[in-house]
Amino acid sequence: MTEKTNRKKLLEVKNLRVSFGEHKHKTVVVNDVSFDIYKGETFGLVGESGSGKTTIGRAVIRINPTMSGEIIYDGKKINGTISKELDREVTQKIQMIFQDPMASLNERAKVDYIVSEGLYNTKQKYTKEEKKSMVEKALQDVGLLPEFASRFPHEFSGGQRQRIGIARALIMQPEFIIADEPISALDVSIRAQVLNLLSDLQKKRDLTYLFVAHDLSVMRFIADRIAVIHKGVLVELGETEKLYNHPLHPYTQALLSAIPMPDPVAEKKKVLKVYDPSVHDYSVHKPSWVEVEENHFVLCNEAELQKYKKQIE
Ligand SMILES: Nc1ncnc2c1ncn2[C@@H]1O[C@H](COP(=O)(O)OP(=O)(O)OP(=O)(O)O)[C@@H](O)[C@H]1O
Ligand SMILES: [Mg+2]
């Protein structure tokens, strides 16, 4: 858990806003989001479909332009206009594993090209032979055979394709990986394998993860800390066990109640909590992002803060 983090901030996201559309038709889909990720940790980002999780990941890897706020990687601001040198560095050090392994791989390219594509833009240039052996090594590192390099993506199962996506990230020797729902599209039977692979790689290579998911079910096993996002706004952030045992925000509570229980009798009796934003009276006192206790943040106003503080006692 937290002892594996040496508390060096690797990624700092400060008051991030991301919008789509032009002028009057602008929609803000990520609104004033702030969080830090420490080196070596797995930081979970959870929220329902459309809440802005992928948009945040894509802003970090500089695909989505940011409207305001700062994204700082290893002490350097990486959003907006940056030097070519830094852009190259970020492109190598931060990799993303995409949500849908069926859609994210170029169907017309062979695996060796797909896996080695990122190497074409690195400062260091590699020969054909070097690339070939790097691809083979990357495939082996994710549990695939080196001879798969000459095949096309459609020849693989969903789990294997996700491994190809992971190899594509690993070949770049990244420090930080954004895993965007890497197992959601996979059969339940192979989800654990891919999760174990990610966890082994993290240990071997001292990787830091931003792990995105739309529910809390797998998060407990992998995340050190979790941030909960609702409609583009963070509502709660805390250490995993804290969040599971003492969720404060009603939306976090609703997400937790949606996790299936292993005991079928308990599962049948369970009351699903539905989040109703009208429980907050924000007409007079607006909410803000407050550290309710050490390392535990909640979006709340003064009245809610007092209530939460009593719950914690
Ligand atoms: N390129 C885009 N142009 C316009 N709107 C977009 C674009 N990308 C995302 N959006 C919108 O931004 C919002 C957040 O989308 P995003 O993909 O970040 O959600 P998500 O949390 O990753 O959801 P999911 O769990 O379904 O992947 C959605 O309303 C989506 O329609
Ligand atoms: Mg998404």
Side-chain angles (χ1 to χ4, degrees):
M1 288 285 298
T2 8
E3 53 270 23
K4 78 179 178 193
T5 66
N6 54 16
R7 310 316 272 177
K8 179 194 170 206
K9 285 177 187 172
L10 189 59
L11 184 79
E12 297 162 71
V13 173
K14 294 181 198 285
N15 308 104
L16 180 67
R17 278 203 174 81
V18 181
S19 61
F20 293 111
E22 297 287 319
H23 310 294
K24 278 185 190 163
H25 306 288
K26 210 175 240 177
T27 329
V28 176
V29 300
V30 172
N31 201 353
D32 207 13
V33 162
S34 300
F35 59 87
D36 297 326
I37 300 183
Y38 296 102
K39 188 163 171 35
E41 82 170 330
T42 297
F43 185 88
L45 180 62
V46 182
E48 65 201 35
S49 187
S51 56
K53 306 177 299 293
T54 299
T55 304
I56 292 174
R58 288 167 58 94
V60 173
I61 59 165
R62 299 178 48 76
I63 296 179
N64 283 342
T66 56
M67 186 182 167
S68 60
E70 285 189 322
I71 302 174
I72 296 168
Y73 183 79
D74 207 3
K76 290 177 220 147
K77 180 175 178 289
I78 58 162
N79 60 322
T81 313
I82 61 172
S83 71
K84 216 173 162 184
E85 183 87 20
L86 182 58
D87 182 53
R88 215 181 239 160
E89 186 185 325
V90 171
T91 309
Q92 179 251 313
K93 288 185 174 164
I94 309 181
Q95 292 294 313
M96 189 151 168
I97 298 168
F98 294 92
Q99 199 160 353
D100 182 357
M102 285 316 187
S104 63
L105 305 179
N106 178 354
E107 282 303 322
R108 274 175 291 184
K110 282 186 185 165
V111 170
D112 58 356
Y113 178 76
I114 292 172
V115 172
S116 63
E117 198 179 8
L119 296 176
Y120 290 84
N121 292 313
T122 48
K123 200 168 179 187
Q124 192 171 347
K125 298 294 166 217
Y126 300 96
T127 64
K128 223 174 158 181
E129 285 68 36
E130 281 169 334
K131 273 189 196 142
K132 185 168 180 277
S133 71
M134 286 167 86
V135 168
E136 289 179 355
K137 168 85 176 39
L139 289 175
Q140 278 170 324
D141 286 344
V142 298
L144 296 175
L145 296 170
E147 52 265 37
F148 287 181
S150 58
R151 299 199 192 158
F152 288 96
H154 69 255
E155 300 174 53
F156 296 94
S157 68
Q160 287 174 324
R161 291 171 67 113
Q162 195 53 294
R163 285 172 193 268
I164 295 169
I166 298 170
R168 178 182 156 86
L170 284 183
I171 202 167
M172 301 299 286
Q173 306 270 13
E175 297 171 344
F176 183 82
I177 292 186
I178 301 168
D180 188 3
E181 308 213 33
I183 58 163
S184 311
L186 305 179
D187 282 348
V188 176
S189 57
I190 46 174
R191 285 183 180 180
Q193 292 172 14
V194 173
L195 276 186
N196 288 340
L197 170 67
L198 289 171
S199 153
D200 288 346
L201 290 168
Q202 180 172 40
K203 282 184 212 116
K204 278 188 206 140
R205 299 179 181 221
D206 193 23
L207 294 168
T208 305
Y209 285 146
L210 168 56
F211 194 101
V212 173
H214 59 255
D215 64 47
L216 276 165
S217 54
V218 291
M219 279 296 184
R220 193 169 200 166
F221 306 105
I222 44 168
D224 297 294
R225 293 186 304 137
I226 295 173
V228 178
I229 186 168
H230 182 254
K231 294 197 168 35
V233 179
L234 289 193
V235 297
E236 189 160 0
L237 191 168
E239 285 169 7
T240 302
E241 285 311 303
K242 214 3 113 38
L243 214 84
Y244 273 80
N245 295 321
H246 303 286
L248 293 173
H249 196 279
Y251 181 61
T252 313
Q253 294 172 349
L255 282 181
L256 279 169
S257 84
I259 299 176
M261 292 172 149
D263 173 4
V265 180
E267 175 68 19
K268 275 202 185 121
K269 283 191 194 147
K270 186 176 78 176
V271 183
L272 260 184
K273 210 173 169 255
V274 178
Y275 176 53
D276 173 10
S278 72
V279 297
H280 308 282
D281 180 6
Y282 291 153
S283 53
V284 184
H285 300 288
K286 301 276 172 248
S288 57
W289 188 232
V290 184
E291 190 167 11
V292 178
E293 57 184 324
E294 206 186 352
N295 298 320
H296 190 176
F297 297 81
V298 186
L299 183 75
C300 61
N301 65 13
E302 189 53 38
E304 289 174 324
L305 176 62
Q306 295 315 322
K307 191 179 83 184
Y308 294 154
K309 280 194 164 157
K310 279 210 185 90
Q311 285 176 20
I312 292 165
E313 278 166 16

